[in-house]
Amino acid sequence: MRRCCEGVGLPCLFKGVGMAGARPPRFLLVFDFDETIVDENSDDSVVRGRALPEQLRQSPREGSYNEHMQRVLAFLGEQGLRAADFRAVYENIPLSPGMAELFQFLSKHHELFEVILISDANMFGIEAKLRAAGVRSLFRKIFSNPASFDRRGFLTLGPYHSHKCLQCPANMCKRKILTEYLAERAQEEVEFQRVFYVGDGANDFCPSGTLTAADVAFPRKGYPMHRMIQEIQEKQPGAFRAAVVPWESATEVARYLQELLKRKC
């Protein structure tokens, strides 16, 4: 159970810090990667300007995108792309508007926010981009599809896990990952007062459904996650419990969190 000091006469932030026996509050901030941290889909970045064969240009069947990208990466490997080529692509993907400012805010208040990343991209690309941006140390944990280079120098991709969720692709259910992470941290006696989820895609809607009324979903404005939240709010008022704060620039997320630090939680 997440607990808050409000109700016992103490502001949730700062005033309790430094008092005998008190400890700083902890919030969990969850990020997606593609079209959230970075301003485009990293898989699209990899194939941009490259002529794919017809069978790889066709949209994969629903739920099988990970397998599709395995075939795409194998083809690119056959065309001569190696680790340095892929790293250069990932490092040069632009951050989304305002994301650098949000990262600066989180760095300044790192003792208050535990930050994780859950993405259906791949570990190699994510690590390359975060390190190039100088923000890898902000993230306690990254959950993404395993990616490594084989003996040929080809970038290979695998599924993250298996699950039984009917809403998500076969290789990853972000709800399962988030639920298990919260349970693991609870066993370690880390209880979050609030969870914040920053995303954009349909696969971010599934985990955001686990958020409570104390939590906040930050869907990118006009993207699938935002549209799906709006739809459920219209069809089933009250079914989506978290507060919803759409954003066009991540500075809006930073501004919301900054205001949170100025008041009781």
Side-chain angles (χ1 to χ4, degrees):
M1 178 185 296
R2 293 178 226 148
R3 293 192 292 269
C4 177
C5 51
E6 190 172 13
V8 296
L10 289 176
C12 285
L13 296 165
F14 300 120
K15 291 187 179 179
V17 178
M19 296 177 63
R23 76 177 202 179
R26 299 295 298 274
F27 301 99
L28 180 66
L29 183 56
V30 185
F31 278 100
D32 171 49
F33 183 70
D34 287 331
E35 296 185 297
T36 297
I37 287 180
V38 292
D39 203 24
E40 54 191 54
N41 185 309
S42 58
D43 291 334
D44 293 341
S45 304
V46 166
V47 300
R48 184 174 294 121
R50 306 185 190 282
L52 297 179
E54 176 61 28
Q55 63 269 27
L56 294 181
R57 291 200 303 271
Q58 298 174 359
S59 298
R61 70 181 187 279
E62 186 174 355
S64 65
Y65 186 78
N66 184 264
E67 296 175 2
H68 168 74
M69 280 308 299
Q70 291 176 27
R71 294 189 291 272
V72 169
L73 293 175
F75 172 79
L76 295 177
E78 292 168 355
Q79 301 305 301
L81 270 72
R82 296 296 182 264
D85 304 304
F86 283 105
R87 183 176 292 107
V89 170
Y90 290 120
E91 288 179 346
N92 286 292
I93 300 174
L95 292 174
S96 291
M99 196 57 63
E101 289 79 5
L102 176 54
F103 286 150
Q104 289 172 3
F105 169 85
L106 293 173
S107 180
K108 181 179 179 181
H109 299 287
H110 64 89
E111 75 283 359
L112 300 174
F113 295 91
E114 182 164 298
V115 186
I116 65 172
L117 193 159
I118 308 177
S119 169
D120 197 10
N122 71 78
M123 284 296 295
F124 176 81
I126 291 171
E127 290 271 4
K129 180 57 191 177
L130 295 183
R131 293 185 188 283
V135 297
R136 176 61 183 88
S137 62
L138 284 177
F139 294 84
R140 180 178 186 270
K141 196 81 179 281
I142 296 173
F143 301 90
S144 190
N145 300 303
S148 59
F149 291 88
D150 63 17
R151 288 178 296 178
R152 300 169 298 173
F154 288 20
L155 179 59
T156 62
L157 178 68
Y160 179 78
H161 62 185
S162 61
H163 60 85
K164 297 179 180 179
C165 178
L166 300 179
Q167 300 180 55
C168 294
N171 63 294
M172 176 175 285
C173 172
K174 294 185 177 185
R175 176 191 290 255
K176 178 178 172 67
I177 294 171
L178 178 58
T179 300
E180 291 178 350
Y181 184 81
L182 289 169
E184 173 190 311
R185 295 300 277 147
Q187 288 183 342
E188 296 166 350
E189 300 185 348
V190 176
E191 295 180 340
F192 301 105
Q193 294 168 4
R194 293 187 179 189
V195 175
F196 304 103
Y197 195 105
V198 186
D200 76 288
N203 63 356
D204 295 311
F205 176 75
C206 182
S208 67
T210 68
L211 301 179
T212 72
D215 304 327
V216 183
F218 293 98
R220 192 167 185 182
K221 191 174 293 185
Y223 282 68
M225 179 187 179
H226 185 208
R227 293 195 294 268
M228 294 171 78
I229 291 174
Q230 289 177 313
E231 183 176 333
I232 195 171
Q233 287 176 325
E234 292 173 3
K235 292 183 176 179
Q236 303 176 51
F240 193 86
R241 295 173 294 170
V244 180
V245 181
W247 60 279
E248 292 182 330
S249 168
T251 55
E252 297 166 73
V253 179
R255 190 178 308 120
Y256 183 96
L257 298 176
Q258 182 66 63
E259 289 301 314
L260 177 74
L261 302 192
K262 294 179 180 178
R263 64 179 188 267
K264 298 180 181 181
C265 72

